[in-house]
Amino acid sequence: KDQFAPMLRDTACLLGRVAESKSRDSSSTILHKTFPGGFIDVTGANSPIGLRRTTIRILLLDEVDGYPASAGIEGDPVKLAKKRTVTFWNRKIIQTSTPTVKGISRIEASWEESDQRRYHVPCVSCGAFQVLHWAQLKFDKKDLNSIYYECEHCKAHLGEIDKRIMIAQGEWIAKFPERCKHAGFHINELYSPWSTWRAMVEEFLESKKRPETLKVWVNTSLGETWEEEESYSIETEKLAARIEDYVELPQGVVILPAGVDVQDDRLECLVKGWGMNDESWF
């Protein structure tokens, strides 16, 4: 109602092509649109019936990282939807999404299997093509008027006006062109005509205050997966295997502080050897 119907209404070449939703006409509803030569079915990723009721040639899976792990009890909704296209030799499957968490992101897994196309733009100073990376956007958080993009080739300082020129002259270049059956496209907010580099920096400085907000910024502005901080733990068996009996002080011990804990029936004593750079033995 809010996106598809207004698009049909406001796009001249589509006006009148798709039948309007009418309560008395079952051929076209809110979730099923008919047009000369075909139809559009809309269904949710959590609906196993919707995912297996129709055979289709062109499949669009939108925001796949937000799909549930299983559609009811029938398994992965992406796999179920793809099965609806197997009868067509000329099928086309499109997956789009903002990425989420590294390692479990569906769109990341699909990207890794693709030819990995990124949008390369020419520097207005030296003409060399490059992908726009966040690391090349330079700024002083005390003076956001000094924001500029540094060309990775000639180190030229590029501004918002240059950005529009570069994007207009850019082109998609695949990292793995030999993967001709699976096209993948990645782009981030640095290219956006609806956002500015200053707005990105301001949002970053605000988002970095908390991991939860920084995660959203990394996913939505950079178009990258969020990598959780590793928690380091040592298995008891591996720790026990490293136990050594010291007959003499190990080489490197500089001081030997001792601590004594007084119990009702005994004294518990611990002697620990300390060396350079906080290395210790006990």
Side-chain angles (χ1 to χ4, degrees):
K1 291 182 178 180
D2 296 330
Q3 297 180 351
F4 190 71
M7 180 191 71
L8 297 177
R9 180 196 65 208
D10 299 335
T11 306
C13 62
L14 297 178
L15 186 62
R17 298 295 182 92
V18 180
E20 296 182 4
S21 303
K22 297 179 180 179
S23 58
R24 297 181 181 179
D25 184 5
S26 60
S27 66
S28 187
T29 64
I30 293 176
L31 299 180
H32 179 81
K33 306 290 187 181
T34 59
F35 56 88
F39 63 89
I40 297 172
D41 254 340
V42 183
T43 190
N46 59 349
S47 171
I49 295 177
L51 292 173
R52 57 181 166 83
R53 74 182 175 190
T54 307
T55 299
I56 52 174
R57 184 176 75 85
I58 300 175
L59 171 65
L60 171 60
L61 301 163
D62 191 28
E63 292 294 348
V64 293
D65 271 20
Y67 287 9
S70 178
I73 60 173
E74 299 198 20
D76 181 37
V78 173
K79 294 290 186 182
L80 287 173
K82 286 182 177 180
K83 281 293 184 181
R84 301 299 93 211
T85 69
V86 295
T87 56
F88 292 94
W89 66 269
N90 58 343
R91 59 186 174 275
K92 178 176 289 187
I93 300 172
I94 304 168
Q95 296 186 65
T96 67
S97 188
T98 299
T100 51
V101 179
K102 187 175 182 61
I104 64 173
S105 168
R106 283 189 173 96
I107 202 68
E108 178 189 48
S110 182
W111 164 258
E112 292 295 335
E113 296 172 354
S114 74
D115 61 2
Q116 298 186 13
R117 305 184 196 191
R118 294 183 185 271
Y119 198 65
H120 291 64
V121 296
C123 171
V124 296
S125 178
C126 68
F129 276 74
Q130 60 198 289
V131 176
L132 297 184
H133 294 292
W134 173 250
Q136 296 300 116
L137 192 63
K138 309 299 181 181
F139 61 90
D140 180 353
K141 62 182 180 181
K142 296 181 181 179
D143 180 17
L144 296 186
N145 292 319
S146 62
I147 297 173
Y148 64 90
Y149 190 91
E150 182 181 83
C151 173
E152 62 184 54
H153 301 286
C154 69
K155 308 303 179 184
H157 293 189
L158 308 173
E160 285 287 342
I161 296 178
D162 301 316
K163 165 186 167 180
R164 293 187 175 89
I165 298 173
M166 293 189 296
I167 292 174
Q169 299 175 354
E171 59 184 72
W172 291 98
I173 300 178
K175 182 179 180 180
F176 302 104
E178 67 276 8
R179 300 177 186 176
C180 54
K181 293 184 178 181
H182 188 163
F185 303 85
H186 178 276
I187 202 162
N188 58 51
E189 192 180 333
L190 289 167
Y191 296 88
S192 175
W194 298 284
S195 178
T196 64
W197 289 340
R198 175 166 181 160
M200 279 194 73
V201 171
E202 290 174 341
E203 187 178 0
F204 166 72
L205 294 175
E206 182 64 29
S207 299
K208 66 180 295 190
K209 296 177 181 178
R210 292 187 295 128
E212 295 81 6
T213 54
L214 182 60
K215 177 180 179 179
V216 174
W217 184 84
V218 169
N219 289 161
T220 58
S221 293
L222 299 187
E224 297 177 359
T225 51
W226 174 260
E227 190 167 5
E228 301 287 354
E229 292 185 4
E230 295 184 18
S231 58
Y232 294 95
S233 60
I234 302 176
E235 297 178 6
T236 54
E237 295 80 4
K238 292 183 178 180
L239 181 62
R242 301 194 59 166
I243 293 177
E244 300 178 54
D245 291 325
Y246 300 118
V247 178
E248 299 179 352
L249 288 179
Q251 186 176 3
V253 174
V254 178
I255 58 174
L256 287 170
V260 180
D261 184 19
V262 180
Q263 301 292 325
D264 290 338
D265 58 348
R266 68 191 186 281
L267 299 176
E268 293 285 350
C269 180
L270 173 67
V271 179
K272 193 168 185 178
W274 287 92
M276 303 297 291
N277 301 317
D278 292 333
E279 187 174 6
S280 63
W281 300 259
F282 66 92

